[in-house]
mmCIF file of all heavy atoms in Angstrom:
data_model
loop_
_atom_site.group_PDB
_atom_site.id
_atom_site.type_symbol
_atom_site.label_atom_id
_atom_site.label_comp_id
_atom_site.label_asym_id
_atom_site.label_seq_id
_atom_site.Cartn_x
_atom_site.Cartn_y
_atom_site.Cartn_z
ATOM 1 N N ARG A 21 107.807 123.067 109.501
ATOM 2 C CA ARG A 21 107.538 121.728 110.026
ATOM 3 C C ARG A 21 106.749 120.903 109.003
ATOM 4 O O ARG A 21 107.033 119.727 108.785
ATOM 5 C CB ARG A 21 106.765 121.844 111.343
ATOM 6 C CG ARG A 21 106.227 120.577 111.933
ATOM 7 C CD ARG A 21 107.184 119.737 112.759
ATOM 8 N NE ARG A 21 108.129 120.428 113.554
ATOM 9 C CZ ARG A 21 108.099 120.537 114.881
ATOM 10 N NH1 ARG A 21 107.105 120.025 115.549
ATOM 11 N NH2 ARG A 21 109.058 121.152 115.524
ATOM 12 N N ILE A 22 105.763 121.506 108.371
ATOM 13 C CA ILE A 22 104.973 120.794 107.367
ATOM 14 C C ILE A 22 105.864 120.384 106.199
ATOM 15 O O ILE A 22 105.833 119.231 105.761
ATOM 16 C CB ILE A 22 103.796 121.663 106.872
ATOM 17 C CG1 ILE A 22 102.778 121.852 107.989
ATOM 18 C CG2 ILE A 22 103.129 121.025 105.650
ATOM 19 C CD1 ILE A 22 101.718 122.888 107.687
ATOM 20 N N LYS A 23 106.667 121.309 105.715
ATOM 21 C CA LYS A 23 107.553 121.002 104.586
ATOM 22 C C LYS A 23 108.525 119.881 104.945
ATOM 23 O O LYS A 23 108.717 118.939 104.169
ATOM 24 C CB LYS A 23 108.339 122.250 104.172
ATOM 25 C CG LYS A 23 107.515 123.297 103.468
ATOM 26 C CD LYS A 23 108.366 124.517 103.178
ATOM 27 C CE LYS A 23 107.553 125.660 102.621
ATOM 28 N NZ LYS A 23 108.364 126.870 102.426
ATOM 29 N N ARG A 24 109.139 119.998 106.110
ATOM 30 C CA ARG A 24 110.132 118.998 106.517
ATOM 31 C C ARG A 24 109.485 117.622 106.708
ATOM 32 O O ARG A 24 110.013 116.606 106.255
ATOM 33 C CB ARG A 24 110.827 119.450 107.801
ATOM 34 C CG ARG A 24 111.916 118.475 108.255
ATOM 35 C CD ARG A 24 112.666 118.941 109.486
ATOM 36 N NE ARG A 24 111.753 119.079 110.606
ATOM 37 C CZ ARG A 24 111.647 120.166 111.372
ATOM 38 N NH1 ARG A 24 112.404 121.210 111.149
ATOM 39 N NH2 ARG A 24 110.807 120.204 112.376
ATOM 40 N N THR A 25 108.323 117.602 107.352
ATOM 41 C CA THR A 25 107.649 116.328 107.606
ATOM 42 C C THR A 25 107.201 115.688 106.300
ATOM 43 O O THR A 25 107.321 114.473 106.116
ATOM 44 C CB THR A 25 106.454 116.547 108.556
ATOM 45 O OG1 THR A 25 106.917 117.231 109.732
ATOM 46 C CG2 THR A 25 105.844 115.231 108.972
ATOM 47 N N HIS A 26 106.712 116.509 105.366
ATOM 48 C CA HIS A 26 106.316 115.972 104.063
ATOM 49 C C HIS A 26 107.533 115.454 103.299
ATOM 50 O O HIS A 26 107.490 114.379 102.698
ATOM 51 C CB HIS A 26 105.571 117.019 103.223
ATOM 52 C CG HIS A 26 105.115 116.468 101.918
ATOM 53 N ND1 HIS A 26 105.836 116.630 100.755
ATOM 54 C CD2 HIS A 26 104.036 115.713 101.603
ATOM 55 C CE1 HIS A 26 105.207 116.014 99.783
ATOM 56 N NE2 HIS A 26 104.119 115.457 100.256
ATOM 57 N N ARG A 27 108.610 116.207 103.342
ATOM 58 C CA ARG A 27 109.827 115.793 102.635
ATOM 59 C C ARG A 27 110.332 114.460 103.189
ATOM 60 O O ARG A 27 110.736 113.568 102.438
ATOM 61 C CB ARG A 27 110.888 116.888 102.761
ATOM 62 C CG ARG A 27 112.111 116.660 101.904
ATOM 63 C CD ARG A 27 113.082 117.848 101.914
ATOM 64 N NE ARG A 27 113.403 118.324 103.247
ATOM 65 C CZ ARG A 27 113.001 119.497 103.771
ATOM 66 N NH1 ARG A 27 112.245 120.307 103.068
ATOM 67 N NH2 ARG A 27 113.346 119.844 104.990
ATOM 68 N N ARG A 28 110.314 114.307 104.511
ATOM 69 C CA ARG A 28 110.771 113.053 105.120
ATOM 70 C C ARG A 28 109.873 111.887 104.715
ATOM 71 O O ARG A 28 110.351 110.786 104.431
ATOM 72 C CB ARG A 28 110.794 113.179 106.644
ATOM 73 C CG ARG A 28 111.944 114.017 107.141
ATOM 74 C CD ARG A 28 111.901 114.166 108.631
ATOM 75 N NE ARG A 28 113.049 114.941 109.106
ATOM 76 C CZ ARG A 28 113.170 115.404 110.324
ATOM 77 N NH1 ARG A 28 112.222 115.190 111.217
ATOM 78 N NH2 ARG A 28 114.239 116.096 110.670
ATOM 79 N N MET A 29 108.555 112.119 104.713
ATOM 80 C CA MET A 29 107.638 111.067 104.311
ATOM 81 C C MET A 29 107.868 110.695 102.843
ATOM 82 O O MET A 29 107.916 109.524 102.494
ATOM 83 C CB MET A 29 106.189 111.511 104.527
ATOM 84 C CG MET A 29 105.193 110.389 104.297
ATOM 85 S SD MET A 29 103.664 110.903 103.539
ATOM 86 C CE MET A 29 104.164 111.830 102.139
ATOM 87 N N ALA A 30 108.020 111.712 101.995
ATOM 88 C CA ALA A 30 108.234 111.467 100.566
ATOM 89 C C ALA A 30 109.542 110.711 100.331
ATOM 90 O O ALA A 30 109.614 109.856 99.445
ATOM 91 C CB ALA A 30 108.213 112.777 99.794
ATOM 92 N N SER A 31 110.563 110.996 101.131
ATOM 93 C CA SER A 31 111.837 110.297 100.940
ATOM 94 C C SER A 31 111.716 108.825 101.340
ATOM 95 O O SER A 31 112.335 107.960 100.731
ATOM 96 C CB SER A 31 112.970 110.981 101.698
ATOM 97 O OG SER A 31 112.881 110.734 103.078
ATOM 98 N N VAL A 32 110.900 108.532 102.338
ATOM 99 C CA VAL A 32 110.669 107.136 102.712
ATOM 100 C C VAL A 32 109.865 106.434 101.614
ATOM 101 O O VAL A 32 110.118 105.282 101.282
ATOM 102 C CB VAL A 32 109.940 107.036 104.081
ATOM 103 C CG1 VAL A 32 109.482 105.623 104.363
ATOM 104 C CG2 VAL A 32 110.853 107.525 105.194
ATOM 105 N N ALA A 33 108.911 107.156 101.016
ATOM 106 C CA ALA A 33 108.064 106.582 99.960
ATOM 107 C C ALA A 33 108.840 106.330 98.672
ATOM 108 O O ALA A 33 108.483 105.446 97.894
ATOM 109 C CB ALA A 33 106.884 107.507 99.670
ATOM 110 N N GLU A 34 109.912 107.089 98.471
ATOM 111 C CA GLU A 34 110.686 106.969 97.231
ATOM 112 C C GLU A 34 111.222 105.552 97.068
ATOM 113 O O GLU A 34 111.849 105.000 97.957
ATOM 114 C CB GLU A 34 111.841 107.960 97.242
ATOM 115 C CG GLU A 34 112.516 108.121 95.912
ATOM 116 C CD GLU A 34 113.543 109.242 95.956
ATOM 117 O OE1 GLU A 34 113.222 110.312 96.493
ATOM 118 O OE2 GLU A 34 114.657 109.009 95.469
ATOM 119 N N GLY A 35 110.928 104.959 95.943
ATOM 120 C CA GLY A 35 111.415 103.612 95.649
ATOM 121 C C GLY A 35 110.491 102.511 96.147
ATOM 122 O O GLY A 35 110.701 101.347 95.832
ATOM 123 N N LEU A 36 109.474 102.856 96.935
ATOM 124 C CA LEU A 36 108.534 101.845 97.405
ATOM 125 C C LEU A 36 107.422 101.667 96.381
ATOM 126 O O LEU A 36 107.082 102.598 95.661
ATOM 127 C CB LEU A 36 107.918 102.246 98.745
ATOM 128 C CG LEU A 36 108.842 102.345 99.946
ATOM 129 C CD1 LEU A 36 108.048 102.699 101.193
ATOM 130 C CD2 LEU A 36 109.616 101.070 100.164
ATOM 131 N N ASP A 37 106.876 100.483 96.352
ATOM 132 C CA ASP A 37 105.690 100.233 95.536
ATOM 133 C C ASP A 37 104.868 99.148 96.220
ATOM 134 O O ASP A 37 105.178 98.746 97.345
ATOM 135 C CB ASP A 37 106.053 99.871 94.096
ATOM 136 C CG ASP A 37 106.866 98.597 93.967
ATOM 137 O OD1 ASP A 37 106.819 97.755 94.892
ATOM 138 O OD2 ASP A 37 107.533 98.428 92.944
ATOM 139 N N SER A 38 103.861 98.682 95.550
ATOM 140 C CA SER A 38 102.946 97.716 96.160
ATOM 141 C C SER A 38 103.602 96.369 96.467
ATOM 142 O O SER A 38 103.042 95.565 97.206
ATOM 143 C CB SER A 38 101.726 97.507 95.264
ATOM 144 O OG SER A 38 102.126 96.986 94.020
ATOM 145 N N ARG A 39 104.793 96.132 95.934
ATOM 146 C CA ARG A 39 105.495 94.873 96.191
ATOM 147 C C ARG A 39 106.560 94.998 97.278
ATOM 148 O O ARG A 39 107.242 94.030 97.589
ATOM 149 C CB ARG A 39 106.137 94.370 94.900
ATOM 150 C CG ARG A 39 105.134 94.053 93.794
ATOM 151 C CD ARG A 39 105.800 93.634 92.493
ATOM 152 N NE ARG A 39 106.872 94.513 92.062
ATOM 153 C CZ ARG A 39 106.727 95.580 91.276
ATOM 154 N NH1 ARG A 39 105.551 95.898 90.822
ATOM 155 N NH2 ARG A 39 107.761 96.321 90.931
ATOM 156 N N SER A 40 106.704 96.168 97.855
ATOM 157 C CA SER A 40 107.738 96.403 98.870
ATOM 158 C C SER A 40 107.456 95.593 100.133
ATOM 159 O O SER A 40 106.302 95.276 100.428
ATOM 160 C CB SER A 40 107.801 97.887 99.220
ATOM 161 O OG SER A 40 108.202 98.641 98.097
ATOM 162 N N PRO A 41 108.522 95.275 100.877
ATOM 163 C CA PRO A 41 108.348 94.514 102.119
ATOM 164 C C PRO A 41 107.470 95.269 103.122
ATOM 165 O O PRO A 41 107.483 96.501 103.176
ATOM 166 C CB PRO A 41 109.774 94.371 102.668
ATOM 167 C CG PRO A 41 110.668 94.635 101.509
ATOM 168 C CD PRO A 41 109.929 95.545 100.578
ATOM 169 N N ALA A 42 106.732 94.510 103.911
ATOM 170 C CA ALA A 42 105.805 95.095 104.890
ATOM 171 C C ALA A 42 106.526 96.007 105.879
ATOM 172 O O ALA A 42 105.962 97.020 106.298
ATOM 173 C CB ALA A 42 105.065 93.984 105.628
ATOM 174 N N THR A 43 107.751 95.685 106.234
ATOM 175 C CA THR A 43 108.472 96.516 107.208
ATOM 176 C C THR A 43 108.771 97.906 106.633
ATOM 177 O O THR A 43 108.686 98.899 107.351
ATOM 178 C CB THR A 43 109.788 95.840 107.642
ATOM 179 O OG1 THR A 43 110.544 95.492 106.468
ATOM 180 C CG2 THR A 43 109.514 94.585 108.455
ATOM 181 N N GLU A 44 109.085 97.970 105.353
ATOM 182 C CA GLU A 44 109.341 99.269 104.719
ATOM 183 C C GLU A 44 108.044 100.059 104.553
ATOM 184 O O GLU A 44 108.030 101.277 104.717
ATOM 185 C CB GLU A 44 110.032 99.072 103.369
ATOM 186 C CG GLU A 44 111.446 98.536 103.513
ATOM 187 C CD GLU A 44 112.125 98.304 102.179
ATOM 188 O OE1 GLU A 44 111.728 98.921 101.172
ATOM 189 O OE2 GLU A 44 113.068 97.490 102.151
ATOM 190 N N LEU A 45 106.963 99.363 104.257
ATOM 191 C CA LEU A 45 105.672 100.027 104.155
ATOM 192 C C LEU A 45 105.235 100.554 105.524
ATOM 193 O O LEU A 45 104.621 101.617 105.621
ATOM 194 C CB LEU A 45 104.620 99.082 103.584
ATOM 195 C CG LEU A 45 104.842 98.642 102.135
ATOM 196 C CD1 LEU A 45 103.792 97.615 101.723
ATOM 197 C CD2 LEU A 45 104.851 99.830 101.190
ATOM 198 N N HIS A 46 105.576 99.832 106.572
ATOM 199 C CA HIS A 46 105.228 100.294 107.920
ATOM 200 C C HIS A 46 105.993 101.575 108.274
ATOM 201 O O HIS A 46 105.430 102.479 108.910
ATOM 202 C CB HIS A 46 105.498 99.200 108.949
ATOM 203 C CG HIS A 46 105.042 99.550 110.316
ATOM 204 N ND1 HIS A 46 103.721 99.798 110.619
ATOM 205 C CD2 HIS A 46 105.724 99.713 111.472
ATOM 206 C CE1 HIS A 46 103.616 100.092 111.903
ATOM 207 N NE2 HIS A 46 104.808 100.045 112.432
ATOM 208 N N ALA A 47 107.245 101.667 107.843
ATOM 209 C CA ALA A 47 108.016 102.902 108.082
ATOM 210 C C ALA A 47 107.347 104.084 107.380
ATOM 211 O O ALA A 47 107.287 105.200 107.927
ATOM 212 C CB ALA A 47 109.453 102.724 107.601
ATOM 213 N N LEU A 48 106.817 103.851 106.193
ATOM 214 C CA LEU A 48 106.087 104.900 105.478
ATOM 215 C C LEU A 48 104.816 105.270 106.232
ATOM 216 O O LEU A 48 104.468 106.447 106.344
ATOM 217 C CB LEU A 48 105.750 104.445 104.052
ATOM 218 C CG LEU A 48 104.882 105.398 103.234
ATOM 219 C CD1 LEU A 48 105.552 106.764 103.078
ATOM 220 C CD2 LEU A 48 104.568 104.785 101.874
ATOM 221 N N ARG A 49 104.143 104.284 106.766
ATOM 222 C CA ARG A 49 102.922 104.543 107.535
ATOM 223 C C ARG A 49 103.204 105.468 108.718
ATOM 224 O O ARG A 49 102.437 106.390 109.006
ATOM 225 C CB ARG A 49 102.338 103.218 108.021
ATOM 226 C CG ARG A 49 101.068 103.366 108.812
ATOM 227 C CD ARG A 49 100.562 101.992 109.225
ATOM 228 N NE ARG A 49 99.360 102.113 110.024
ATOM 229 C CZ ARG A 49 99.110 101.360 111.080
ATOM 230 N NH1 ARG A 49 99.963 100.431 111.458
ATOM 231 N NH2 ARG A 49 97.995 101.512 111.752
ATOM 232 N N ILE A 50 104.303 105.228 109.393
ATOM 233 C CA ILE A 50 104.672 106.059 110.541
ATOM 234 C C ILE A 50 104.946 107.494 110.091
ATOM 235 O O ILE A 50 104.487 108.454 110.722
ATOM 236 C CB ILE A 50 105.891 105.450 111.274
ATOM 237 C CG1 ILE A 50 105.470 104.143 111.956
ATOM 238 C CG2 ILE A 50 106.469 106.431 112.282
ATOM 239 C CD1 ILE A 50 106.622 103.313 112.466
ATOM 240 N N ARG A 51 105.667 107.668 108.990
ATOM 241 C CA ARG A 51 105.940 109.016 108.473
ATOM 242 C C ARG A 51 104.656 109.715 108.024
ATOM 243 O O ARG A 51 104.487 110.914 108.228
ATOM 244 C CB ARG A 51 106.942 108.964 107.320
ATOM 245 C CG ARG A 51 108.346 108.642 107.747
ATOM 246 C CD ARG A 51 108.879 109.735 108.614
ATOM 247 N NE ARG A 51 110.231 109.434 109.017
ATOM 248 C CZ ARG A 51 110.927 110.194 109.832
ATOM 249 N NH1 ARG A 51 110.405 111.296 110.317
ATOM 250 N NH2 ARG A 51 112.137 109.854 110.165
ATOM 251 N N ALA A 52 103.756 108.966 107.412
ATOM 252 C CA ALA A 52 102.482 109.546 106.990
ATOM 253 C C ALA A 52 101.677 109.990 108.215
ATOM 254 O O ALA A 52 101.033 111.047 108.201
ATOM 255 C CB ALA A 52 101.685 108.535 106.158
ATOM 256 N N LYS A 53 101.752 109.204 109.262
ATOM 257 C CA LYS A 53 101.053 109.553 110.498
ATOM 258 C C LYS A 53 101.616 110.848 111.084
ATOM 259 O O LYS A 53 100.867 111.716 111.533
ATOM 260 C CB LYS A 53 101.198 108.405 111.506
ATOM 261 C CG LYS A 53 100.308 108.524 112.720
ATOM 262 C CD LYS A 53 100.515 107.373 113.676
ATOM 263 C CE LYS A 53 100.106 106.059 113.062
ATOM 264 N NZ LYS A 53 100.063 104.964 114.034
ATOM 265 N N HIS A 54 102.935 111.006 111.053
ATOM 266 C CA HIS A 54 103.561 112.245 111.550
ATOM 267 C C HIS A 54 103.062 113.461 110.769
ATOM 268 O O HIS A 54 102.731 114.497 111.360
ATOM 269 C CB HIS A 54 105.082 112.161 111.449
ATOM 270 C CG HIS A 54 105.702 111.204 112.409
ATOM 271 N ND1 HIS A 54 107.054 110.943 112.425
ATOM 272 C CD2 HIS A 54 105.171 110.433 113.381
ATOM 273 C CE1 HIS A 54 107.320 110.057 113.366
ATOM 274 N NE2 HIS A 54 106.196 109.730 113.953
ATOM 275 N N LEU A 55 103.020 113.312 109.449
ATOM 276 C CA LEU A 55 102.554 114.422 108.620
ATOM 277 C C LEU A 55 101.095 114.746 108.938
ATOM 278 O O LEU A 55 100.719 115.909 109.049
ATOM 279 C CB LEU A 55 102.719 114.098 107.131
ATOM 280 C CG LEU A 55 102.206 115.160 106.153
ATOM 281 C CD1 LEU A 55 102.895 116.505 106.388
ATOM 282 C CD2 LEU A 55 102.412 114.694 104.717
ATOM 283 N N ARG A 56 100.304 113.740 109.105
ATOM 284 C CA ARG A 56 98.893 113.984 109.403
ATOM 285 C C ARG A 56 98.729 114.681 110.746
ATOM 286 O O ARG A 56 97.874 115.564 110.894
ATOM 287 C CB ARG A 56 98.132 112.667 109.382
ATOM 288 C CG ARG A 56 96.663 112.928 109.352
ATOM 289 C CD ARG A 56 95.895 111.751 108.819
ATOM 290 N NE ARG A 56 94.607 111.751 109.469
ATOM 291 C CZ ARG A 56 93.969 110.690 109.867
ATOM 292 N NH1 ARG A 56 94.484 109.497 109.646
ATOM 293 N NH2 ARG A 56 92.813 110.782 110.444
#
């Protein structure tokens, strides 16, 4: 579960940076919350 949740979060983070749209950053926030 830890590996899968981290992998999913990392895949959402891939290609994002500080200039990414807020909606995409919010999707990353949700995945990070799941991992936590």
Side-chain angles (χ1 to χ4, degrees):
R21 172 83 36 107
I22 292 169
K23 288 177 187 176
R24 182 177 61 231
T25 307
H26 182 264
R27 188 173 49 250
R28 286 178 178 169
M29 188 216 51
S31 74
V32 170
E34 192 173 315
L36 295 182
D37 62 22
S38 62
R39 298 177 311 270
S40 296
T43 53
E44 292 178 23
L45 294 175
H46 186 62
L48 175 60
R49 181 179 178 220
I50 291 168
R51 288 295 180 183
K53 191 181 295 190
H54 290 177
L55 177 58
R56 194 158 149 219

